[in-house]
Amino acid sequence: MSDLATPDLAGIELGLDTFGDVTRDASGALLSHAQTIRNTVEQAVLADSVGLSFFGVGEHHRPEFAVSSPEIVLAAAAARTERIHLGTAVTVLSSDDPVRVFERFATLDAVSNGRAEVILGRGSFIESFPLFGYDLRDYEALFDEKLDLFSQLLDEKPVTWQGTMRAALTEADVYPKTENGLRAWVGVGGTPESVVRAARFGYGLMLAIIGGPAARFRPFADLYRRSLDTFEHAQLPIGVHSPGHVADTDQQAWDEAYEGFEAMNNTIGKERGWPAYNRLRFQHDVGPEGALYIGAPETVARKIADTIRTLGAARFDMKFSTGTLSHVKMMRSIELYGTQVAPLVRDMLA
């Protein structure tokens, strides 16, 4: 019998993620980081108004992305929203202090009236490590140790803890306390070790699927559920984070998204030795075997529904910011995602 657990389809959550990508104005000039951050808050407000479940903001420390302190952006969004949950995509725990991360998110949880979530990760970029004085040779050890400490802080009781990467704690009590606990996930790029780690510490699993079909990640979903049983944890949700963009037609969505997507891939690719991105690769990636959810509402909804069924996922977060894609086009994408894609996904799953 399959290990796949079927989620409550009525409770499927559809959310959005952004890295605060610096975009261009109507004249083609790059916006300031400040304006990009203000636009990000406006995007969260719209996501709330169209009934979406989650709005996530990533942490980065490089020029293409405006947000290095997501919790402050999320607090600004909390003041102007009512229902949507607000969190990160991701918080780079390895180069941060678990106590300060907990304090910041407990504060966000207070100002948002219980809507804060934290998605913890090692990060796919490494700028934060030298910036904050960490050695990349400790990449794995830093995350494992800090995740252990953060797990204990989530109990919101005095903590006695000792590791090798920060000072020990003796009956340390951390404030503020939350009213109903803090929802926490671990973001995973797709290694068995990372999946087992998330299960061992009892976190929800957020799969970052940015290449290939969702079916390729089915073994990780199965491994996660088996591991939860092994560690005697209750079954916890699996989420998916993937890039996407919605417009009125497939062709319009592809044409709008391609330029920014090509530029971002080529910028990062120069650093990592990737081949130049091209339209043929893009058209493959927006198809059934690719990880881009780009197209008209029905096209995107069908692909999301297939992914949810394949993985037994409880949430799908579309990373809607794509390089220099304009704020106006992103706002239209959010509107269509909430008003058309989300209802279609629920109908398809029903």
Side-chain angles (χ1 to χ4, degrees):
M1 190 170 77
S2 170
D3 293 320
L4 188 64
T6 302
D8 174 13
L9 299 181
I12 291 294
E13 298 176 339
L14 293 180
L16 292 167
D17 289 335
T18 177
F19 295 166
D21 304 53
V22 175
T23 62
R24 296 187 184 276
D25 63 19
S27 72
L30 285 174
L31 298 180
S32 67
H33 287 98
Q35 185 60 53
T36 301
I37 289 170
R38 290 191 289 268
N39 287 348
T40 301
V41 175
E42 295 299 327
Q43 292 155 11
V45 172
L46 177 58
D48 183 56
S49 73
V50 296
L52 293 168
S53 300
F54 177 78
F55 190 86
V57 180
E59 172 198 345
H60 293 87
H61 305 269
R62 51 185 294 135
E64 299 91 349
F65 307 119
V67 181
S68 59
S69 184
E71 301 91 341
I72 295 178
V73 179
L74 295 167
R80 298 183 53 197
T81 56
E82 297 178 0
R83 296 172 299 277
I84 196 165
H85 279 222
L86 302 163
T88 43
V90 298
T91 291
V92 185
L93 185 65
S94 305
S95 56
D96 210 328
D97 184 83
V99 174
R100 292 296 289 142
V101 172
F102 179 84
E103 290 174 339
R104 297 197 302 265
F105 277 91
T107 302
L108 175 64
D109 198 61
V111 300
S112 66
N113 196 23
R115 293 184 283 132
E117 300 187 17
V118 59
I119 303 178
L120 305 166
R122 293 176 296 177
S124 59
F125 295 95
I126 60 173
E127 288 81 8
S128 63
F129 288 81
L131 188 63
F132 300 120
Y134 291 98
D135 192 330
L136 274 171
R137 289 174 295 184
D138 297 327
Y139 187 78
E140 290 286 345
L142 280 165
F143 188 65
D144 197 67
E145 184 173 293
K146 292 186 177 187
L147 194 63
D148 175 44
L149 174 54
F150 195 85
S151 303
Q152 296 186 44
L153 294 168
L154 286 173
D155 292 334
E156 303 196 37
K157 297 175 182 177
V159 171
T160 297
W161 176 92
Q162 185 169 354
T164 60
M165 303 292 174
R166 78 174 308 281
L169 298 174
T170 303
E171 287 295 298
D173 218 355
V174 177
Y175 305 98
K177 305 295 184 184
T178 67
E179 293 176 322
N180 294 292
L182 183 63
R183 191 180 190 189
W185 307 69
V186 168
V188 171
T191 65
E193 296 79 9
S194 296
V195 170
V196 172
R197 180 194 288 122
R200 173 161 56 95
F201 287 115
Y203 288 91
L205 181 72
M206 185 61 66
L207 289 169
I209 302 179
I210 58 175
R216 186 165 65 90
F217 288 76
R218 169 67 180 267
F220 295 118
D222 291 343
L223 173 62
Y224 175 67
R225 293 187 173 99
R226 289 197 306 271
S227 298
L228 286 172
D229 288 339
T230 298
F231 295 118
E232 300 183 343
H233 292 304
Q235 285 299 309
L236 294 166
I238 291 175
V240 174
H241 156 103
S242 287
H245 176 63
V246 191
D248 293 292
T249 68
D250 286 345
Q251 191 65 53
Q252 181 185 351
W254 299 339
D255 290 343
E256 288 178 353
Y258 178 72
E259 181 181 354
F261 203 85
E262 177 193 41
M264 183 59 64
N265 270 267
N266 286 340
T267 297
I268 298 169
K270 288 179 182 178
E271 301 171 6
R272 302 185 180 184
W274 299 347
Y277 201 74
N278 57 55
R279 192 69 186 239
L280 186 63
R281 170 71 185 278
F282 176 81
Q283 291 304 145
H284 170 271
D285 290 346
V286 301
E289 295 302 308
L292 302 186
Y293 294 71
I294 298 176
E298 186 171 352
T299 301
V300 174
R302 187 179 301 111
K303 194 167 182 178
I304 292 172
D306 287 346
T307 295
I308 289 170
R309 289 193 197 98
T310 298
L311 299 176
R315 187 160 90 195
F316 181 90
D317 292 340
M318 184 179 78
K319 197 267 184 181
F320 68 94
S321 56
T322 306
T324 54
L325 181 68
S326 75
H327 173 60
V328 171
K329 290 183 173 65
M330 285 192 282
M331 292 290 273
R332 177 61 174 161
S333 179
I334 293 168
E335 179 187 359
L336 290 171
Y337 185 68
T339 61
Q340 296 190 32
V341 174
L344 283 169
V345 169
R346 293 189 173 96
D347 287 347
M348 290 172 181
L349 292 173

